[in-house]
Amino acid sequence: MGLLSGLARGLVRGADRMAEWTSKRGSRTFYKNRGARKTGVLTSSGKFVRVREMVPELVVPRLDAGFKLKPYVSYRAPLGTEEPQTPHKLFMEVVAPRIEKEIKEGTFDPDNLEKYGLERSQEGKIFQLYPKNYVR
Amino acid sequence: MRLTALLAMAARVKVPPDYRYGTSRPWTVGAQRMNPPGKKRRKVFVEPIQPEDWSLFKGDTVEVLAGKDSGKQGKISQVIRARNWVILEGLNTHYRYIGKSGEYRGTYIASESPLLVREVALVDPSDRKPTQVEWRFTEEGERVRVSLRSGRILPKPVVQRRDGIVPEQWKDGPKDTSPDDALEKTYSASLKTFEEEIAGATGVVETRAGRRTFWY
């Protein structure tokens, strides 16, 4: 539906005020970003220094040897039956067996829960859980 | 608001609570011409049927009990629950012209008229007579429709996909993952985040931690 047919239908004049204002529309000196993030830092001399940590790096599994997953899934595959993982289930699968084993041996120490995975604070960790400081 | 007003006409419609549903679906152009946003029509009273008691589905064979084609059996092609309507293929038809333009009078077609659910009855597959149907549970715990006269279970009609693909007869292409590979369980629970697991698997050692941040 072009603008001309719209005008013919509506019999009103003027620009389309509701269209999105993008970087393609302004004058020669108009600059507007379209969402790309910076991959480095601009120094005082005007040189742009690329910072390796700011450049996204895709970590991809090896697709050649023994990788069975393909882009699409067959129509014959039924819906899966696995339930979504919850914190309770994660605890019961990972931590509870360790604690049970230690209680049976008699070496359970309620003051030293860090060896079963308890984290009293998120400081010093690279991937902090709260506030979440990683993209995924 | 000109170009975008035209584009918005193709978007999803929000339907007011006293909307009168017709045989055209609310997002079609014909229905929007019949029910423009400000229009109020006399209320149509519809027998309240609970969603769990509804027993007619698209593709079922039913017999018409009242009307012009009473006594005939047909397949349901459309169900409109808002008005308790069922539209059968080729039954209860009236004739009209479609695609009229200029001097051309259009094509003369038979168009089906909707029937209320009380005017049709499901057909028992064993003796092909109309029966009353009830929802009951099997021994496995499955909820099925049971004919009250003969006790036979009426299976729900198989919904055919609009693209014509029958999943059981699908042949996998070169880019299709097979069902066994797709359903294989390879997840092992661990207390590490996804990123930490990958760092451990690829041998990335990162000793720098970010600076302290605060949130309020």
Side-chain angles (χ1 to χ4, degrees):
Chain A
M1 280 273 183
L3 187 59
L4 287 175
S5 54
L7 288 179
R9 232 225 253 143
L11 293 171
V12 259
R13 296 181 341 205
D16 186 5
R17 279 178 151 267
M18 291 293 152
E20 195 191 336
W21 179 247
T22 65
S23 56
K24 298 241 160 207
R25 291 185 58 187
S27 71
R28 194 167 51 89
T29 52
F30 174 63
Y31 169 76
K32 185 177 189 252
N33 194 11
R34 240 178 162 171
R37 294 175 65 166
K38 287 204 154 47
T39 55
V41 138
L42 199 61
T43 53
S44 57
S45 66
K47 188 166 159 190
F48 184 81
V49 174
R50 195 193 67 169
V51 174
R52 191 164 164 187
E53 285 80 10
M54 290 166 85
V55 174
E57 187 184 329
L58 297 177
V59 179
V60 173
R62 288 201 60 180
L63 303 179
D64 46 354
F67 189 72
K68 291 176 283 191
L69 302 179
K70 301 231 180 81
Y72 302 93
V73 177
S74 162
Y75 279 105
R76 287 179 290 134
L79 297 169
T81 48
E82 215 169 310
E83 280 105 54
Q85 184 76 317
T86 61
H88 179 83
K89 280 176 73 177
L90 184 64
F91 179 88
M92 297 304 281
E93 278 167 38
V94 179
V95 181
R98 284 191 220 161
I99 297 183
E100 268 190 71
K101 195 164 78 81
E102 307 252 312
I103 290 176
K104 288 201 175 95
E105 286 164 10
T107 56
F108 180 63
D109 183 13
D111 298 324
N112 183 21
L113 294 171
E114 271 77 6
K115 61 176 171 159
Y116 308 114
L118 176 70
E119 280 154 4
R120 296 209 185 259
S121 87
Q122 300 288 311
E123 277 198 37
K125 281 176 68 175
I126 301 166
F127 297 107
Q128 293 174 7
L129 295 174
Y130 48 89
K132 194 159 124 165
N133 66 355
Y134 53 96
V135 169
R136 282 192 64 246
Chain B
M1 261 270 200
R2 302 160 214 344
L3 180 67
T4 38
L6 294 168
L7 294 172
M9 269 165 42
R12 191 195 155 82
V13 281
K14 278 196 188 42
V15 136
D18 54 353
Y19 182 85
R20 177 180 282 223
Y21 286 85
T23 40
S24 323
R25 301 270 70 209
W27 52 85
T28 50
V29 165
Q32 281 170 21
R33 218 182 294 139
M34 289 264 269
N35 295 337
K39 191 161 186 187
K40 285 203 190 295
R41 290 200 60 175
R42 234 170 265 170
K43 187 179 150 125
V44 155
F45 292 94
V46 155
E47 185 201 342
I49 298 184
Q50 300 300 317
E52 54 266 11
D53 296 331
W54 189 273
S55 37
L56 295 169
F57 299 101
K58 183 170 149 176
D60 268 335
T61 320
V62 295
E63 180 163 324
V64 184
L65 306 171
K68 197 161 65 122
D69 290 331
S70 60
K72 294 192 190 159
Q73 296 188 353
K75 200 158 84 151
I76 298 179
S77 69
Q78 196 181 1
V79 164
I80 299 171
R81 287 217 195 178
R83 290 195 64 172
N84 286 355
W85 272 347
V86 140
I87 299 179
L88 309 181
E89 272 173 21
L91 291 183
N92 202 25
T93 52
H94 54 273
Y95 297 88
R96 62 181 174 117
Y97 286 97
I98 197 173
K100 176 167 121 69
S101 74
E103 290 310 310
Y104 175 51
R105 65 183 170 198
T107 337
Y108 195 62
I109 59 154
S111 77
E112 301 95 356
S113 192
L115 287 158
L116 286 171
V117 290
R118 295 293 174 201
E119 293 165 4
V120 297
L122 274 167
V123 156
D124 196 338
S126 51
D127 56 358
R128 284 181 301 184
K129 297 263 173 47
T131 43
Q132 300 307 310
V133 160
E134 207 182 40
W135 283 99
R136 287 193 204 146
F137 290 91
T138 57
E139 267 148 31
E140 288 93 43
E142 207 190 316
R143 194 161 171 264
V144 288
R145 303 180 289 184
V146 167
S147 147
L148 286 178
R149 196 181 44 227
S150 65
R152 197 193 181 287
I153 293 177
L154 273 69
K156 237 172 117 162
V158 176
V159 174
Q160 275 126 33
R161 290 175 57 116
R162 279 175 63 173
D163 46 18
I165 295 174
V166 181
E168 286 81 27
Q169 295 162 15
W170 176 255
K171 280 192 246 314
D172 287 344
K175 293 190 184 173
D176 280 325
T177 328
S178 71
D180 314 303
D181 289 336
L183 294 173
E184 205 182 306
K185 291 198 178 167
T186 52
Y187 171 66
S188 56
S190 83
L191 291 178
K192 291 186 170 182
T193 60
F194 186 55
E195 286 79 10
E196 284 169 1
E197 270 184 38
I198 290 180
T202 50
V204 168
V205 173
E206 183 67 65
T207 44
R208 311 170 286 180
R211 55 178 41 214
R212 287 180 74 190
T213 54
F214 301 90
W215 55 307
Y216 307 98

